[in-house]
Amino acid sequence: MKNTVVKILTALAFVILITGVANAAGEAQRRWERMNQIRQEKFDLVLPEVMRENNVAMWITVSREGRDDPLTEDFGKGYVGSYGYYIFTDRGGERIERAALGIGTALIEDNGAYDIMTESFDLKEFVEERDPKSIALNFAEHIGAADGLSHTDYQKLTRDLGQKYAERFVSAEKLTSDFRSRRVASEIAAFAWAGEMSRNIAERAFSNEVITPGKTTLADVAWWMREQQFENHLGTSFGMPSVYITGPDGFVALSNDHVIQRGDFLAIDWGVGYLNFYTDMKRHAYVLREGETHLPASIQKAFDNGLAVRNILKNHIKAGRTAGETYTILNQEINNAGFKIMESFNSPTDDP
């Protein structure tokens, strides 16, 4: 009888273990499937448009063992023995040719987003056959996410392809920005989920669930938020969340052992990572003093002014303008409404 009980308990433990693994794999597979859908839609709908707008005939992204390009998640991560290449070529027609050379995984192949997948290739022959007039590479002056090519990668491409094609190298900075920023429907849905997770965690952090005035420190709040990222399998936009106290003179304390007190004005600046999306969200909170049931008039006024400026932003951000044009218009409209643009972040002012 004892042996039977042991066997039953062992079997139950095994079932629980398998069930737990299956549930964990479920979320991993769902995220993989979402990225597959996004990748297919981006390649079909966005890639041809942005390559032609930027006069790019071929786009090469280098992947190496132990060092991914910032775009690796977008293109599909696989095993790279030494060097691998994602190569997109405009050969005419509606579709851009997609090739993954030296990047091995059944997951990318099963996705069906690539026309060519092989571990055996001659990079120079591949490029010569297509003879592109321009070759975009991921080096960039202003955008870190478009600057994944190392100096060593650049030198190797120059050697392997020869001077003829090296003279056709151009920066993929604008191309990368356009490819990443033009969202398809599946991306918008995924980013909305990331934003909701970011909002939910931030607002719980600034609640009685987490904060006890006179006891909880800023670091306690920051670590609680970091733990929520860990438990929900989320990345981080900025490392440790910035949880701080601000006042008339600017920053008072930032994610440290400062104990939160009644009357403090708190702020959060943080973001989560989901798939290859990263949020950047702010939240503010006032810790009521004993006997207070509403915000002080000064803080309520600041909140109302913030809503007024937010409405200006919503009403004047329109499709069809450049970011620079929009920025100029917004500054003018904000000034017209009686507000002033801050010259630097969290700059105190005597202007009421």
Side-chain angles (χ1 to χ4, degrees):
M1 178 67 179
K2 182 177 179 181
N3 289 338
T4 302
V5 171
V6 170
K7 289 179 181 178
I8 291 173
L9 290 176
T10 302
L12 286 173
F14 181 74
V15 170
I16 291 170
L17 176 62
I18 294 298
T19 302
V21 171
N23 288 338
E27 176 60 19
Q29 185 169 347
R30 281 192 293 273
R31 294 191 184 194
W32 172 72
E33 290 171 350
R34 288 186 189 121
M35 280 304 295
N36 282 349
Q37 181 180 356
I38 290 170
R39 186 174 304 118
Q40 290 171 335
E41 292 179 4
K42 294 279 276 194
F43 285 1
D44 287 342
L45 303 175
V46 177
L47 190 59
E49 183 177 78
V50 297
M51 285 186 66
R52 287 162 186 167
E53 284 183 8
N54 288 279
N55 297 314
V56 171
M58 177 179 282
W59 184 12
I60 300 178
T61 294
V62 179
S63 184
R64 294 184 66 182
E65 183 178 18
R67 184 184 61 76
D68 291 333
D69 186 275
L71 291 169
T72 297
E73 290 294 336
D74 296 76
F75 295 159
K77 189 171 183 177
Y79 175 73
V80 179
S82 178
Y83 276 87
Y85 305 90
Y86 303 94
I87 303 181
F88 305 99
T89 309
D90 186 356
R91 308 189 77 174
E94 295 182 359
R95 182 184 176 88
I96 297 294
E97 179 189 75
R98 310 93 176 255
L101 309 182
I103 300 169
T105 174
L107 294 180
I108 296 181
E109 189 169 357
D110 291 345
N111 181 199
Y114 285 91
D115 306 310
I116 302 169
M117 289 198 64
T118 181
E119 298 283 339
S120 178
F121 64 94
D122 183 302
L123 182 63
K124 186 173 184 180
E125 286 183 4
F126 185 92
V127 173
E128 285 179 334
E129 181 184 338
R130 289 151 181 81
D131 193 27
K133 302 305 179 187
S134 60
I135 302 174
L137 304 177
N138 296 351
F139 58 88
E141 181 178 356
H142 303 291
I143 302 176
D147 198 32
L149 189 76
S150 72
H151 181 62
T152 304
D153 298 338
Y154 187 91
Q155 289 179 317
K156 178 174 172 55
L157 285 171
T158 299
R159 289 194 308 269
D160 290 352
L161 298 183
Q163 193 60 34
K164 172 183 175 181
Y165 290 107
E167 291 176 355
R168 302 181 187 183
F169 292 166
V170 297
S171 168
E173 182 169 37
K174 179 67 165 52
L175 172 60
T176 300
S177 176
D178 289 344
F179 178 77
R180 288 278 288 147
S181 63
R182 295 190 191 176
R183 303 300 191 186
V184 292
S186 53
E187 280 184 297
I188 294 171
F191 194 71
W193 188 89
E196 177 60 17
M197 288 295 293
S198 184
R199 181 199 66 81
N200 180 266
I201 294 171
E203 293 188 358
R204 286 176 61 198
F206 276 175
S207 74
N208 294 334
E209 176 186 356
V210 177
I211 296 176
T212 301
K215 180 179 178 181
T216 307
T217 68
L218 297 176
D220 290 336
V221 179
W223 277 115
W224 182 88
M225 297 175 72
R226 197 74 180 91
E227 187 65 21
Q228 295 303 306
Q229 290 175 312
F230 181 80
E231 290 181 3
N232 288 282
H233 311 290
L234 298 169
T236 174
S237 299
F238 310 108
M240 192 69 165
S242 296
V243 182
Y244 54 93
I245 294 176
T246 187
D249 297 323
F251 283 114
V252 175
L254 173 62
S255 297
N256 60 12
D257 59 0
H258 183 100
V259 177
I260 297 169
Q261 303 291 344
R262 294 187 178 277
D264 282 343
F265 185 70
L266 307 175
I268 286 175
D269 186 356
W270 88 309
V272 305
Y274 172 68
L275 303 180
N276 206 22
F277 307 103
Y278 293 85
T279 66
D280 183 355
M281 188 173 290
K282 278 72 172 171
R283 280 295 183 270
H284 297 85
Y286 172 75
V287 185
L288 293 172
R289 297 180 185 276
E290 293 288 354
E292 283 185 325
T293 57
H294 299 287
L295 288 174
S298 60
I299 295 179
Q300 183 65 57
K301 180 180 179 181
F303 180 77
D304 292 341
N305 286 342
L307 290 181
V309 172
R310 185 177 71 175
N311 287 333
I312 292 172
L313 301 181
K314 289 167 61 178
N315 292 335
H316 291 89
I317 295 177
K318 306 290 184 182
R321 298 182 186 136
T322 67
E325 290 169 345
T326 300
Y327 180 73
T328 299
I329 291 170
L330 291 177
N331 283 352
Q332 185 60 53
E333 293 295 332
I334 290 171
N335 287 328
N336 291 343
F339 302 107
K340 293 182 179 178
I341 304 299
M342 293 173 58
E343 294 184 2
S344 60
F345 177 67
N346 199 42
S347 300
T349 175
D350 294 330
D351 190 337

